[in-house]
Amino acid sequence: MPETVNQVSGPSAVLRVAVLASGEGSNLQAIIDSVHGRFGVELVCVLSDKPHARALERARSAGIEAACFTVAEFAEADQGESTPRLRRDLAMVELLRANDVDLVVLAGYMQLLSAEFISHFFGRIINVHPSLLPKYPGLDAIGQALHANESQTGVTVHFVDEGIDSGEVIAQEPIGIAPGESIDSLTARVHEIEHRLLPEVIAQIAASRGDD
Ligand code: GRF
């Protein structure tokens, strides 16, 4: 009897991916364009905290389920220990589990995930960050590198833990900063790297499934 893909690759032949994004979604677009539906990768849903995020439109245009979870929707009073953020995160976990998501990709998701969310997907959440971590975690990483007169910065893809951009590094790529370079120019060059590196890491994760 011929071996099936499932026997070779584990529980599901395809890596089912969800993207969380708050804004423009150019990294989401790179994932849609270069790995969605190929290399054993299926982008199954896109979640945002911002109803007008361009990322949601990009998902819908590509025929991918898109959902928004604003913290305000979960702000009912009198919920004991639970907070709106926790309730929002648990609602997202429910949707991700209903979609059998294997990998959660943060691509410009501007909210801190609760410990409960992280524990549901620990080791299966990755983030793209525009610096050579551990340098310049947090906001405005490109501006921080520029204003510190660094001669290089770069892009990091890393696992997500409870800290800010502090999880284990998966891949990094440096980029030189030209003397007098503008923030716009550097940002564009950093994004170019992100748009290649993040999809590559996702494809590598899909390829390595079933190896262990
Ligand atoms: C990217 O620079 C990413 O590294 C950072 O947020 C930005 C998101 O850009 N975490 P986009 O929404 O993918 O265009």
Side-chain angles (χ1 to χ4, degrees):
M1 194 169 81
E3 227 175 4
T4 67
V5 178
N6 276 349
Q7 284 168 311
V8 174
S9 309
S12 159
V14 167
L15 183 76
R16 295 175 64 80
V17 175
V19 169
L20 272 54
S22 300
E24 178 57 28
S26 66
N27 280 284
L28 165 67
Q29 193 65 55
I31 293 167
I32 292 171
D33 293 344
S34 53
V35 291
H36 171 49
R38 305 158 71 189
F39 310 112
V41 175
E42 194 70 33
L43 182 51
V44 293
C45 57
V46 173
L47 276 50
S48 183
D49 57 312
K50 297 275 185 296
H52 302 296
R54 173 100 197 276
L56 291 172
E57 278 173 41
R58 292 182 192 266
R60 292 185 186 115
S61 307
I64 295 161
E65 177 178 354
C68 184
F69 292 82
T70 64
V71 83
E73 288 165 54
F74 296 89
E76 324 87 42
D78 194 26
Q79 298 277 321
E81 295 291 290
S82 156
T83 62
R85 184 169 75 106
L86 175 58
R87 293 196 290 278
R88 186 262 302 278
D89 280 9
L90 293 178
M92 292 201 298
V93 166
E94 212 172 291
L95 181 69
L96 297 172
R97 289 171 74 119
N99 275 289
D100 275 331
V101 166
D102 301 306
L103 181 72
V104 177
V105 177
L106 309 188
Y109 185 63
M110 303 306 285
Q111 301 283 318
L112 265 186
L113 291 168
S114 59
E116 286 77 3
F117 184 105
I118 291 170
S119 73
H120 274 287
F121 288 100
F122 191 75
R124 298 188 294 136
I125 313 172
I126 65 172
N127 180 44
V128 60
H129 184 77
S131 77
L132 293 178
L133 291 171
K135 277 193 162 182
Y136 309 119
L139 294 175
D140 190 27
I142 300 175
Q144 287 187 61
L146 199 59
H147 297 131
N149 288 319
E150 294 280 3
S151 58
Q152 67 165 18
T153 186
V155 172
T156 303
V157 180
H158 64 95
F159 286 111
V160 172
D161 63 13
E162 285 180 43
I164 296 178
D165 302 320
S166 54
E168 188 192 335
V169 170
I170 303 169
Q172 278 188 317
E173 192 168 315
I175 184 173
I177 302 178
E181 182 160 14
S182 70
I183 185 93
D184 288 351
S185 153
L186 184 57
T187 300
R189 294 196 301 121
V190 164
H191 280 171
E192 229 172 87
I193 296 178
E194 290 183 341
H195 296 165
R196 177 172 40 74
L197 195 62
L198 181 58
E200 268 173 22
V201 168
I202 295 169
Q204 274 164 19
I205 291 173
S208 68
R209 293 186 92 211
D211 280 359
D212 40 32

